[in-house]
Amino acid sequence: QVQLVESGGGLVQPGGSLRLSCAVSGSIFGSNTMGWYRQAPGKQRELVATIASGGNTNYADSVKGRFAISRDNAKNTVYLQMNSLKPEDTAVYYCNLQRTYLPRYNYWGQGTQVTVSS
């Protein structure tokens, strides 16, 4: 049973920083992509950033230059360093682990709330 557990969310003032962590437990096969998505009230879930096993990264335009994704393959953990936070970054942030080729899998964490407000 694969489980993803996020931590690090909370309330922060505009311009502040937060670091999210997502620890993966269970058996994971092969190379994969880990990532962060977010969903604000009344909006669809959207991609924030992804990182492949080899280190290639991808970011949403709205967070480029402010957020940084990293992973520790030995610890099966992915991180999201969020700087210069804005009120529009307020959302529930979800960790994702996926492999899009055989054997495929796609797992989600339970989500962690990030609120940016003065």
Side-chain angles (χ1 to χ4, degrees), residues 20-38:
L20 305 182
S21 299
C22 174
V24 181
S25 61
S27 297
I28 304 167
F29 178 84
S31 58
N32 51 63
T33 297
M34 302 184 78
W36 291 94
Y37 292 72
R38 67 187 181 186

Side-chain angles (χ1 to χ4, degrees), residues 2 11 16 24 28 30 33 35 38 40-42 49-50 68 70 72 78 80 87 91 98 100 106 110-111 114:
V2 175
L11 173 65
V24 181
I28 304 167
T33 297
R38 67 187 181 186
T50 62
S70 60
D72 185 333
V78 63
L80 185 69
Q98 65 177 273
T100 56
N106 190 14
Q110 80 285 356
V114 171

